[in-house]
Amino acid sequence: MKLKNIKIIVGLLMISLMGISCSTDFIELDPKSDVPLEVNYYSNEAEVYSGVIAVYDILGKESSTFENMITMMNAGSDDFFAGGGGATDGTGIQSFSDYSISESTIPGSFWNSYYEGIFRANVLLTQLPEAPITDANRVRYTAEAKTLRAYYYFQLVRLFKNVPLILDRIATADIYNVPQVAPDAVYAQIEQDLIDAKTGLPNTLADLTTEAARLTKGSAQALLGKVYLYQGKNTEAATELAEVNGTPGGTSTYGYKLIDNFADLWSIDNKFNSESIIEVASTDKANVGWGEWGGGQNDGNTINTMVAPRSISRPSGSTAPDYASGWSFNTVTLELYEVMKDDPRFEATIADFKALKEAGQIDYIPGYKDSGYFLNKFMPLNSEVTTGGGEPILNYRQNVYAIRLADTYLMEAEALGASGARAQALLDAVRARVGLSSIPVSLDVIAKERRLELAGEGHRFFDLVRTGKAASALADRGFTAGKNEIFPIPLKELENTIIEQNPNY
């Protein structure tokens, strides 16, 4: 069965795990026994597999619920505003966009969701050695759990920098006394998990009808290369990414290849294509309503609803796309418009509602920080609105890429110091795909190419921070150097714990 269709199994598993968690949100229960509740759960292949899927489930943080990674990180970049209905529409995303963010306004889920994923991975890893499963599955499940744990820690260390490193069960009595560790220790663990995982993952997936969205060796290597790059370990990064990328423009060992048409990356039906390295699955079959939305049960893509303009209407005879209405978040800045307006990727990236409205082809109600330009990569059509159960606008099925091949091409070119024939070829391949000619490779050129190629996919803020450009690029937004490179730690995580707030918050 596909990963996105097994929520019932995951739900049963999580009932058995609710006694203890790494987040203070999950420690209020009073178990009747000292025996961990999950000990008796992993009694057969199906139960163990559901445990694996429970670890994968946290990847949905990229696109599900209002507090998703992509729209949040877009809002703090120079390419997008938070947008929405007003200055108080989503305090967390608004306060990140204008850099008034504090321990009280940072949504707690950016901390506790990833620790929930780490908790699930840790529980699974303690159960796998004695679980009644085949040795082949034991090896693969272990590698998947370690890769996912590494991914969740990478998100945490990028977002908060100073975090606890938890690799095993923690007794309820001790949860408040877990210290933060140096970021270098977290990165070392991430690296070790990914190095260990590479040998246990398949090079390719045998059958996408049953294994879609599962990790491969290429997934772990791409993530490891990215982790090395973020630490300035460029030689190591280039080595890992070279194996993922293969010959620029060709098909790599793992079957990765740039797809021919850039716009096809955003086709709702073009899932798990040859450019996808880590892809987060969404479904319109979860039947999620307002009562479940945001509580961990949402398997739909919320970005679609968030980025569409409000109250769209089309007059009779309009030839404009039949866009579905939404909440007008992530409005495009005029700066990004100017950078992209003559680029071949503009139309697939930015929906020009300003021009459509002026031409009488479409109308909409402007939201907060309206520029007339919206993120087209995730713009929903009425034909894509589910007719199934639940609330339709919460159940879009567009997948999102956490890592894709054009991203790893440009990361490798950067890791190579933006010099030499291979770095040039990697840059050229990304540009040639959209019909652009070769230009001399340099770090500035690569940075601009990343901005154009990956616009709206949640990477820009992190790129600005890791290259030291955030303070200048975001000065007009209120960004403070030495503070806003990372989030404040949520207030709830500080209460009655030994965790210390990040500097200058």
Side-chain angles (χ1 to χ4, degrees), residues 30 90 112 137 166 243 258 267 295 299 302 319 335 399 409:
D30 183 19
N112 59 48
N137 280 342
I166 302 170
E243 190 167 346
L258 296 176
S267 169
D299 275 338
T302 304
T319 57
E335 182 181 353
N399 289 2
Y409 271 25

mmCIF file of all heavy atoms in Angstrom, residues 30 90 112 137 166 243 258 267 295 299 302 319 335 399 409:
data_model
loop_
_atom_site.group_PDB
_atom_site.id
_atom_site.type_symbol
_atom_site.label_atom_id
_atom_site.label_comp_id
_atom_site.label_asym_id
_atom_site.label_seq_id
_atom_site.Cartn_x
_atom_site.Cartn_y
_atom_site.Cartn_z
ATOM 1 N N ASP A 30 -0.501 10.071 32.705
ATOM 2 C CA ASP A 30 0.021 9.337 33.861
ATOM 3 C C ASP A 30 -0.135 7.848 33.596
ATOM 4 O O ASP A 30 -1.141 7.243 33.947
ATOM 5 C CB ASP A 30 -0.751 9.732 35.128
ATOM 6 C CG ASP A 30 -0.200 9.041 36.374
ATOM 7 O OD1 ASP A 30 0.956 8.578 36.320
ATOM 8 O OD2 ASP A 30 -0.937 8.973 37.371
ATOM 9 N N GLY A 90 -2.528 35.107 11.318
ATOM 10 C CA GLY A 90 -1.422 34.179 11.520
ATOM 11 C C GLY A 90 -0.262 34.888 12.178
ATOM 12 O O GLY A 90 0.697 35.289 11.511
ATOM 13 N N ASN A 112 8.188 21.298 18.248
ATOM 14 C CA ASN A 112 7.709 20.009 18.762
ATOM 15 C C ASN A 112 7.329 19.012 17.673
ATOM 16 O O ASN A 112 7.372 17.806 17.911
ATOM 17 C CB ASN A 112 6.581 20.195 19.790
ATOM 18 C CG ASN A 112 5.386 20.931 19.254
ATOM 19 O OD1 ASN A 112 4.885 20.630 18.185
ATOM 20 N ND2 ASN A 112 4.900 21.917 20.019
ATOM 21 N N ASN A 137 14.409 -6.321 5.798
ATOM 22 C CA ASN A 137 13.568 -5.211 6.230
ATOM 23 C C ASN A 137 14.154 -4.509 7.455
ATOM 24 O O ASN A 137 14.056 -3.292 7.597
ATOM 25 C CB ASN A 137 12.160 -5.698 6.542
ATOM 26 C CG ASN A 137 11.321 -5.875 5.293
ATOM 27 O OD1 ASN A 137 11.647 -5.338 4.244
ATOM 28 N ND2 ASN A 137 10.237 -6.635 5.398
ATOM 29 N N ILE A 166 18.616 14.210 21.442
ATOM 30 C CA ILE A 166 17.967 13.079 22.112
ATOM 31 C C ILE A 166 18.013 11.879 21.172
ATOM 32 O O ILE A 166 17.477 11.922 20.073
ATOM 33 C CB ILE A 166 16.503 13.426 22.464
ATOM 34 C CG1 ILE A 166 16.459 14.673 23.354
ATOM 35 C CG2 ILE A 166 15.816 12.250 23.144
ATOM 36 C CD1 ILE A 166 15.069 15.235 23.560
ATOM 37 N N GLU A 243 27.963 12.037 -6.796
ATOM 38 C CA GLU A 243 27.386 10.712 -7.038
ATOM 39 C C GLU A 243 25.881 10.796 -7.255
ATOM 40 O O GLU A 243 25.314 10.053 -8.060
ATOM 41 C CB GLU A 243 27.710 9.781 -5.872
ATOM 42 C CG GLU A 243 27.359 8.329 -6.160
ATOM 43 C CD GLU A 243 27.963 7.365 -5.161
ATOM 44 O OE1 GLU A 243 28.868 7.766 -4.397
ATOM 45 O OE2 GLU A 243 27.523 6.202 -5.145
ATOM 46 N N LEU A 258 17.122 15.667 -14.910
ATOM 47 C CA LEU A 258 16.271 16.845 -15.030
ATOM 48 C C LEU A 258 15.140 16.554 -16.007
ATOM 49 O O LEU A 258 15.383 16.028 -17.102
ATOM 50 C CB LEU A 258 17.072 18.048 -15.539
ATOM 51 C CG LEU A 258 18.193 18.592 -14.655
ATOM 52 C CD1 LEU A 258 18.925 19.714 -15.381
ATOM 53 C CD2 LEU A 258 17.651 19.091 -13.325
ATOM 54 N N SER A 267 3.042 20.216 -12.179
ATOM 55 C CA SER A 267 1.813 19.508 -12.546
ATOM 56 C C SER A 267 1.404 18.606 -11.392
ATOM 57 O O SER A 267 2.215 17.830 -10.861
ATOM 58 C CB SER A 267 2.035 18.662 -13.801
ATOM 59 O OG SER A 267 0.940 17.790 -14.011
ATOM 60 N N GLY A 295 -4.045 19.055 13.657
ATOM 61 C CA GLY A 295 -3.804 18.189 14.793
ATOM 62 C C GLY A 295 -2.952 16.986 14.475
ATOM 63 O O GLY A 295 -2.897 16.047 15.250
ATOM 64 N N ASP A 299 -3.325 15.130 5.813
ATOM 65 C CA ASP A 299 -2.456 14.622 4.761
ATOM 66 C C ASP A 299 -2.598 15.408 3.472
ATOM 67 O O ASP A 299 -2.049 15.027 2.450
ATOM 68 C CB ASP A 299 -2.772 13.146 4.470
ATOM 69 C CG ASP A 299 -2.042 12.222 5.418
ATOM 70 O OD1 ASP A 299 -1.034 12.642 5.986
ATOM 71 O OD2 ASP A 299 -2.493 11.082 5.590
ATOM 72 N N THR A 302 -1.726 22.136 2.292
ATOM 73 C CA THR A 302 -2.351 23.400 2.679
ATOM 74 C C THR A 302 -1.770 24.576 1.920
ATOM 75 O O THR A 302 -2.405 25.629 1.808
ATOM 76 C CB THR A 302 -2.195 23.630 4.197
ATOM 77 O OG1 THR A 302 -2.753 22.511 4.896
ATOM 78 C CG2 THR A 302 -2.914 24.878 4.658
ATOM 79 N N THR A 319 -10.414 33.795 -20.679
ATOM 80 C CA THR A 319 -9.496 32.717 -21.058
ATOM 81 C C THR A 319 -8.434 32.487 -19.983
ATOM 82 O O THR A 319 -7.494 31.714 -20.189
ATOM 83 C CB THR A 319 -8.794 33.053 -22.382
ATOM 84 O OG1 THR A 319 -8.110 34.309 -22.249
ATOM 85 C CG2 THR A 319 -9.807 33.148 -23.519
ATOM 86 N N GLU A 335 10.546 43.037 -5.715
ATOM 87 C CA GLU A 335 11.952 42.702 -5.960
ATOM 88 C C GLU A 335 12.079 41.379 -6.702
ATOM 89 O O GLU A 335 12.826 41.269 -7.679
ATOM 90 C CB GLU A 335 12.717 42.654 -4.642
ATOM 91 C CG GLU A 335 14.201 42.360 -4.821
ATOM 92 C CD GLU A 335 14.957 42.287 -3.504
ATOM 93 O OE1 GLU A 335 14.376 42.596 -2.450
ATOM 94 O OE2 GLU A 335 16.144 41.903 -3.543
ATOM 95 N N ASN A 399 2.006 17.135 -4.373
ATOM 96 C CA ASN A 399 3.207 16.828 -3.604
ATOM 97 C C ASN A 399 4.168 18.011 -3.626
ATOM 98 O O ASN A 399 4.046 18.919 -4.467
ATOM 99 C CB ASN A 399 3.916 15.600 -4.175
ATOM 100 C CG ASN A 399 3.159 14.319 -3.932
ATOM 101 O OD1 ASN A 399 2.068 14.305 -3.356
ATOM 102 N ND2 ASN A 399 3.715 13.206 -4.389
ATOM 103 N N TYR A 409 22.293 19.993 -8.194
ATOM 104 C CA TYR A 409 23.248 20.480 -9.209
ATOM 105 C C TYR A 409 23.892 21.785 -8.730
ATOM 106 O O TYR A 409 25.115 21.956 -8.763
ATOM 107 C CB TYR A 409 22.525 20.750 -10.530
ATOM 108 C CG TYR A 409 22.416 19.588 -11.488
ATOM 109 C CD1 TYR A 409 22.464 18.271 -11.063
ATOM 110 C CD2 TYR A 409 22.245 19.824 -12.851
ATOM 111 C CE1 TYR A 409 22.343 17.219 -11.956
ATOM 112 C CE2 TYR A 409 22.131 18.786 -13.761
ATOM 113 C CZ TYR A 409 22.176 17.480 -13.315
ATOM 114 O OH TYR A 409 22.065 16.451 -14.214
#
